[in-house]
Amino acid sequence: MKKEKDESLKDKEHTFKDKERTPRQKDEVEEITPKKSKKKKIFLILGLILVPFLLVGIYYFAFFPSLVLVGNSTIEVAYPDTYTDEGAKLYRLGKETNGNILVDNKVDATKLGEYEIKYTYKESFFSKSLVRKVFIVDKEPPVLTLEGDKDVVVCPGQKYEEKGYSATDNYDGDLTSQVATLEEEGKINYSVVDSSGNRTTDTRTITEKDDDKPKITLTGSSTTYLILGKAYSEPGYKASDNCDGDLTKQVQVSGSVNKDKEGTYTLTYSVSDSMGNKTSVTRKVVVQKAPSNSGVIYLTFDDGPNDTSTTKILDVLKKYNVKATFFVTMSGSDSVILREYQEGHTVALHTASHNYKTVYSSVDGYFNDLNKVSNRVKKITGETSYIIRFPGGSSNTVSRNYSKGIMTTLTKEVEKRGYHYFDWNVSSGDAGETTSSKGVYNNVTKSLRLNRANIVLMHDIKSFTAAAIEDIIVYGKEHGYTFAPITMATTPVHHSVNN
Ligand code: ZN
């Protein structure tokens, strides 16, 4: 039944519609009404979808904080400076705001390179990131050091012998092996580059030149004394040149000595090097009669100096204007020897060690020891002394224990080498016989003779001797003696040799 009714209704409707509308209207009714509601639905759906996006967009662009770097986005750090990152800041609606910015910072300022620091800020589903670039760079060039002079003079035709160089870099460390050298005309260029390309250069100039004269060294004193009638024998010389080496054989000696005529003769020693630089030195030879030194007292002091007792003796000598002779060793202060020299006394040589075993073991042993004290005196006074006294005197027998016949050899050898040795004919006995000033005084005064030269042996290291000097001087002056220092012109007193 119901079905029938429906069908009849349907039919009615059809009928009604068909009746009411044209065919065209019939189509429109059927189509327009459902289309309108569809569009509305789409708009609604689109709206529902877009609005949240819009809200999110508004939130993101307006409310989500902006991330801003503090400082530059690219930073260069010069090694070895440290890098402190200044970080980034957050701004929400133009105002700084707090928030946890994640920083990924891998910068290692101890290693050159390019680094990135990443800053990230996250809030709900969103995040923002920024990147900063940091460059650790080395701008410091290496330090190049040249050993020796930078302006070098070499002998003509000679090559410069490298004195050495070194290079260090603040980042690379030792770069000495990386130094490049380039020899040019009269120049050596040095160059070194560090791993960052920083370069350092330096130059050494090489000049070939020889302006230095050869040197001539005379053996023996530059003034020698010759007793009238005695033959002159040349003590010898040596010549050397900075570029040519030994030139002794090229030395020419001019001038002559007439042994039979009193006077002062000059011998000239000359030599030239291959560049024509010429040197000349002279030696004066004084030919004279044996000087009369009767009644002269030569006060001689061995084994010093001693800072206390020698100074005391010097004070007394100064007070009486008496000049004496000091046979020195390596003891005491240089200043005392300098004072002896400056106050007009003769600084003579004893030996350096005064050790019998050392000085009398061999000829070389003796001269090596003598040279030591000779060098000391030369350094202090500027003069080489050729006046010597053998420890124990030339007559000593103790040397027999060390070398048979050594005194016979040495007494001849020293004269050959230009030295004059002096023994004594008045002994103070202060080496053991007496230990008192009175004893020294008595020993000296009883042995003095007016008809001869008196060479008095004393030791300035003994305080009781120092205390006796004033009385001895007063005695000498009161008894017609004069005082003098030993010089190269003084006729020596020699003992007889016993070994
Ligand atoms: Zn002595």
Side-chain angles (χ1 to χ4, degrees):
M1 257 304 265
K2 201 183 174 209
K3 204 182 173 183
E4 277 173 26
K5 200 188 168 187
D6 283 351
E7 271 175 13
S8 67
L9 263 171
K10 236 185 208 173
D11 282 346
K12 268 186 191 170
E13 271 174 35
H14 274 271
T15 316
F16 169 72
K17 278 174 189 166
D18 291 342
K19 272 187 188 168
E20 294 273 313
R21 297 168 194 210
T22 60
R24 186 178 156 80
Q25 279 173 322
K26 223 165 58 184
D27 286 349
E28 280 175 348
V29 172
E30 273 177 1
E31 285 180 27
I32 289 169
T33 316
K35 240 187 183 174
K36 269 188 180 170
S37 60
K38 253 188 196 171
K39 273 188 180 173
K40 269 185 189 169
K41 270 184 190 170
I42 288 165
F43 278 125
L44 194 68
I45 290 163
L46 276 176
L48 283 173
I49 294 168
L50 286 174
V51 163
F53 274 104
L54 201 68
L55 289 173
V56 165
I58 291 167
Y59 160 74
Y60 187 74
F61 290 107
F63 295 98
F64 192 85
S66 53
L67 192 53
V68 177
L69 288 180
V70 180
N72 295 333
S73 60
T74 303
I75 290 177
E76 199 175 83
V77 180
Y79 178 87
D81 288 355
T82 52
Y83 173 67
T84 310
D85 188 50
E86 291 182 87
K89 282 182 176 172
L90 288 171
Y91 291 90
R92 201 193 299 272
L93 293 171
K95 279 192 174 174
E96 195 180 337
T97 182
N98 288 327
N100 186 25
I101 302 169
L102 297 170
V103 182
D104 181 15
N105 179 354
K106 293 201 170 66
V107 175
D108 179 357
T110 66
K111 277 183 190 143
L112 304 186
E114 180 185 334
Y115 297 89
E116 277 188 1
I117 304 175
K118 198 171 178 189
Y119 308 85
T120 308
Y121 179 67
K122 281 182 182 163
E123 198 173 282
S124 55
F125 303 110
F126 302 103
S127 72
K128 274 186 181 172
S129 292
L130 280 178
V131 166
R132 190 201 309 272
K133 284 198 171 178
V134 177
F135 297 88
I136 308 295
V137 295
D138 175 21
K139 295 195 159 179
E140 219 173 292
V143 176
L144 184 56
T145 310
L146 302 186
E147 304 295 331
D149 292 339
K150 282 182 71 177
D151 296 312
V152 182
V153 176
V154 296
C155 289
Q158 238 176 50
K159 266 199 103 130
Y160 168 68
E161 205 178 300
E162 182 56 54
K163 286 278 191 302
Y165 48 79
S166 61
T168 55
D169 183 65
N170 66 326
Y171 186 73
D172 300 319
D174 189 4
L175 288 181
T176 304
S177 63
Q178 313 281 313
V179 177
T181 61
L182 180 69
E183 282 198 50
E184 281 180 0
E185 184 95 349
K187 256 195 272 179
I188 300 174
N189 296 310
Y190 301 81
S191 172
V192 65
V193 186
D194 70 11
S195 58
S196 299
N198 301 303
R199 181 185 296 272
T200 302
T201 59
D202 208 344
T203 302
R204 213 193 285 273
T205 65
I206 315 291
T207 311
E208 288 189 25
K209 198 168 72 173
D210 179 18
D211 288 344
D212 289 351
K213 294 174 178 178
K215 281 198 178 85
I216 298 177
T217 314
L218 296 180
T219 307
S221 176
S222 58
T223 303
T224 66
Y225 297 85
L226 194 64
I227 301 299
L228 192 66
K230 260 185 109 177
Y232 174 74
S233 79
E234 172 58 45
Y237 46 83
K238 274 182 183 144
S240 65
D241 183 65
N242 61 319
C243 289
D244 297 334
D246 190 358
L247 290 179
T248 303
K249 281 182 180 157
Q250 276 95 303
V251 174
Q252 303 212 318
V253 186
S254 60
S256 61
V257 176
N258 185 349
K259 67 179 173 66
D260 298 318
K261 197 182 172 207
E262 271 191 286
T264 300
Y265 300 89
T266 302
L267 298 176
T268 304
Y269 306 74
S270 306
V271 72
S272 297
D273 67 12
S274 55
M275 292 303 290
N277 300 303
K278 192 180 171 183
T279 300
S280 292
V281 299
T282 59
R283 192 191 321 258
K284 284 202 164 88
V285 181
V286 182
V287 177
Q288 60 183 21
K289 282 183 200 145
S292 163
N293 46 14
S294 291
V296 178
I297 296 173
Y298 298 92
L299 296 175
T300 71
F301 299 96
D302 290 10
D303 299 1
N306 174 284
D307 290 6
T308 311
S309 51
T310 305
T311 301
K312 212 175 265 176
I313 290 168
L314 286 169
D315 290 343
V316 176
L317 294 173
K318 197 175 186 179
K319 183 177 169 187
Y320 291 92
N321 192 28
V322 165
K323 307 301 176 198
T325 303
F326 293 88
F327 290 94
V328 301
T329 63
M330 295 305 277
S331 66
S333 299
D334 289 355
S335 59
V336 182
I337 291 181
L338 184 63
R339 188 180 162 195
E340 290 169 358
Y341 175 76
Q342 285 173 339
E343 295 185 359
H345 307 293
T346 294
V347 179
L349 313 175
H350 204 16
T351 52
S353 69
H354 206 291
N355 181 316
Y356 291 110
K357 194 182 168 183
T358 307
V359 299
Y360 295 140
S361 59
S362 67
V363 173
D364 283 348
Y366 173 79
F367 281 104
N368 286 342
D369 199 277
L370 185 71
N371 283 339
K372 273 186 212 161
V373 71
S374 177
N375 290 338
R376 181 191 188 191
V377 168
K378 173 83 199 278
K379 232 168 118 182
I380 298 167
T381 68
E383 286 181 24
T384 305
S385 178
Y386 289 93
I387 299 167
I388 60 171
R389 175 172 284 160
F390 291 108
S394 64
S395 57
N396 81 81
T397 52
V398 72
S399 57
R400 288 176 190 163
N401 300 331
Y402 308 107
S403 179
K404 252 197 134 195
I406 184 102
M407 296 319 298
T408 308
T409 309
L410 285 180
T411 47
K412 285 177 187 143
E413 189 60 30
V414 293
E415 293 286 343
K416 232 170 106 183
R417 297 194 191 195
Y419 294 97
H420 289 184
Y421 75 90
F422 289 81
D423 289 312
W424 57 90
N425 54 14
V426 176
S427 177
S428 66
D430 67 353
E433 190 191 313
T434 181
T435 54
S436 73
S437 299
K438 189 81 192 145
V440 168
Y441 175 84
N442 287 339
N443 286 338
V444 171
T445 52
K446 77 178 182 207
S447 305
L448 292 174
R449 300 286 180 271
L450 275 168
N451 62 355
R452 65 167 189 190
N454 298 272
I455 298 187
V456 182
L457 171 69
M458 292 184 284
H459 294 84
D460 51 327
I461 55 169
K462 310 273 183 177
S463 57
F464 57 87
T465 298
I469 300 304
E470 183 156 11
D471 288 345
I472 291 169
I473 290 172
V474 170
Y475 173 92
K477 292 206 169 197
E478 281 176 356
H479 290 78
Y481 292 92
T482 56
F483 293 84
I486 289 173
T487 69
M488 288 299 278
T490 306
T491 306
V493 166
H494 286 171
H495 294 167
S496 51
V497 173
N498 296 309
N499 175 33

